Amino acid sequence: MTAAVRVPLTLGRGIATFSVFVVGYITANLIPLMIIAMVDDLGVTQTVAGAVLTGSLLATALVCLATTRWAAGRSRHLLGRVSLVVMAAGFGVAALVHSAPIACAAIIVGGIGAGGAVAVGGAALAALNNPNRVSGINGLVNRTAVTGVLALIPILGLHMTNAFGIVAVLALATVFTITWLPSAPAVDEDEPSAARTRTPLPEGVTEKKLAVAGFSLLVLFAIWAIGEDSLWAVSGIMGAEHASLTEQQMGLALSLSTAGGIAAALVLTALGSRLGRTVPTAVLLGLGAALKLGSCLATDSTTYLVLIIAWNTVYAAAFIYVVAIAAALDSSGRWSAPLLGTYLVGSAFAPLFGTLVTGAVGYVAFGFVLAGISLALLVPIVWIARLSTRTEQASALPGQDPAARYTTSVVV
């Protein structure tokens, strides 16, 4: 069996890995614009448009989880190409055929293709050296690309052709980068399953313990997604009703939150592994709990605005660290491949959770619930972060620094 080791981040590997991850996940970020385009061009109601896009995201999540094995194995490149072609075809049809039944079905198909792309991108991240820095760069590329597309679509015109056509073109273009993806570690299928460990394990760590940590991280991330995205789902109405926030101020909060996420990704990319993962993850989860509680307690619009922006910045940093933890647990991508799928599953239920809880107990109590969720998740996630550091060190080549800086040469 060939040992599973991480490889340096080169220009070619970076373009392929970050592109397929970002393109697969971009639909989730464009939903507000897509809903408007569907209502205007297809003549459907907001409820129908929202239901179709929710179905598309759930399809993305389920396919991401279902294709993890192929994304983490020898079929990675094939899965990437097929998924992106399906995604491009689905969203391409939605952009060009303005028949509501056909377009809605095509949007679901596009979500299916996106699921495979997300799995491939997540798995490929784990194959690269220095998961902290790689995850930071991935977050930076994602935030920057989304910001650009969000700005471009309204300029071109908020129609189906642009809202879905741009995504289709991006997916099709990314197909040509798949050849640069880092390959999955080789596995000798003739060996007993117990011996086919994809990642060399540190002393005292068994495959079973690593599997428990990986599965636990997936479940914890889905729960964390419910807490984080439920606040975002009700942030507008809560700001207006509880903190007298105007529509203009909410727009400012959205734009500055995106800027905060870019800033967080830049800082984490520069830091790399200098701070490790354990302490920063603990600090970010604790700080996030305090900021969520503060946001729900705030009754002043300025205070609420500052807290929401700060929380979004901390959220972006915490998200990056969790992706790095999953990538460091196994260099084959066994845990980073399905990670975003589990997040999307939790995210799909977040609006329902947020509206039900706030309607039942009010905004202040909602804040305590969200803070409690973060604090309850802190201990197990920090434990997994410590384990991921040991596993990352074990998967480094002999004499290689696992935190080594990436090179900039193109490898095809």
Side-chain angles (χ1 to χ4, degrees):
M1 179 181 68
T2 303
V5 295
R6 302 178 197 277
V7 296
L9 173 60
T10 62
L11 182 59
R13 290 170 184 155
I15 290 173
T17 301
F18 303 141
S19 295
V20 70
F21 191 100
V22 169
V23 169
Y25 189 53
I26 198 168
T27 309
N29 295 286
L30 300 182
I31 281 181
L33 300 184
M34 289 178 167
I35 287 178
I36 296 173
M38 290 176 69
V39 170
D40 291 345
D41 289 0
L42 301 181
V44 299
T45 65
Q46 289 188 17
T47 302
V48 170
V52 170
L53 288 169
T54 296
S56 182
L57 285 182
L58 284 176
T60 299
L62 294 176
V63 171
C64 175
L65 296 175
T67 56
T68 296
R69 182 176 180 180
W70 292 279
R74 294 172 178 172
S75 300
R76 176 178 298 171
H77 292 76
L78 176 61
L79 176 62
R81 291 187 181 95
V82 171
S83 298
L84 289 167
V85 169
V86 171
M87 185 180 177
F91 289 130
V93 170
L96 299 175
V97 181
H98 293 174
S99 164
I102 294 175
C104 290
I107 291 169
I108 302 296
V109 172
I112 292 173
V118 169
V120 168
L125 284 174
L128 302 170
N129 282 342
N130 198 336
N132 283 27
R133 178 169 285 116
V134 168
S135 181
I137 296 173
N138 187 63
L140 176 61
V141 172
N142 181 60
R143 287 271 178 161
T144 303
V146 168
T147 300
V149 174
L150 283 172
L152 180 62
I153 291 175
I155 293 174
L156 296 177
L158 197 47
H159 303 291
M160 294 288 291
T161 304
N162 297 324
F164 292 93
I166 288 176
V167 176
V169 170
L170 290 174
L172 193 59
T174 305
V175 172
F176 299 99
T177 71
I178 293 298
T179 188
W180 297 333
L181 277 177
S183 299
V187 177
D188 188 347
E189 297 295 340
D190 294 329
E191 293 191 28
S193 59
R196 287 192 256 122
T197 302
R198 292 180 180 275
T199 299
L201 301 178
E203 185 177 354
V205 177
T206 64
E207 182 69 17
K208 182 178 180 180
K209 185 176 183 180
L210 193 63
V212 169
F215 279 117
S216 298
L217 185 63
L218 297 182
V219 173
L220 294 170
F221 201 42
I223 297 172
W224 187 71
I226 294 175
E228 299 298 306
D229 284 7
S230 64
L231 175 58
W232 186 249
V234 301
S235 60
I237 188 171
M238 181 170 69
E241 293 182 355
H242 195 59
S244 302
L245 199 72
T246 65
E247 291 184 4
Q248 291 76 17
Q249 287 175 317
M250 196 61 212
L252 180 63
L254 288 171
S255 59
L256 291 181
S257 294
T258 302
I262 293 175
L266 279 170
V267 171
L268 296 184
T269 299
L271 287 174
S273 298
R274 290 185 180 88
L275 300 180
R277 277 185 292 275
T278 306
V279 174
T281 301
V283 170
L284 289 169
L285 290 177
L287 184 57
L291 290 170
K292 287 196 287 289
L293 176 59
S295 298
C296 294
L297 293 176
T299 56
D300 172 72
S301 61
T302 302
T303 302
Y304 181 80
L305 185 70
V306 171
L307 288 173
I308 284 291
I309 294 169
W311 160 64
N312 267 280
T313 303
V314 169
Y315 156 81
F319 190 103
I320 288 170
Y321 269 109
V322 175
V323 173
I325 292 169
L329 277 176
D330 193 300
S331 59
S332 72
R334 183 168 27 167
W335 307 117
S336 57
L339 188 71
L340 195 57
T342 62
Y343 184 90
L344 288 175
V345 170
S347 180
F349 293 98
L352 178 62
F353 178 79
T355 52
L356 284 178
V357 175
T358 54
V361 299
Y363 297 123
V364 173
F366 180 56
F368 282 100
V369 170
L370 296 184
I373 290 174
S374 288
L375 294 178
L377 298 179
L378 191 153
V379 173
I381 290 180
V382 166
W383 174 78
I384 298 170
R386 292 184 63 185
L387 182 62
S388 76
T389 299
R390 296 176 61 194
T391 306
E392 178 192 357
Q393 292 170 346
S395 66
L397 287 169
Q400 179 192 54
D401 177 7
R405 292 183 176 273
Y406 57 86
T407 64
T408 55
S409 58
V410 178
V411 175
V412 180

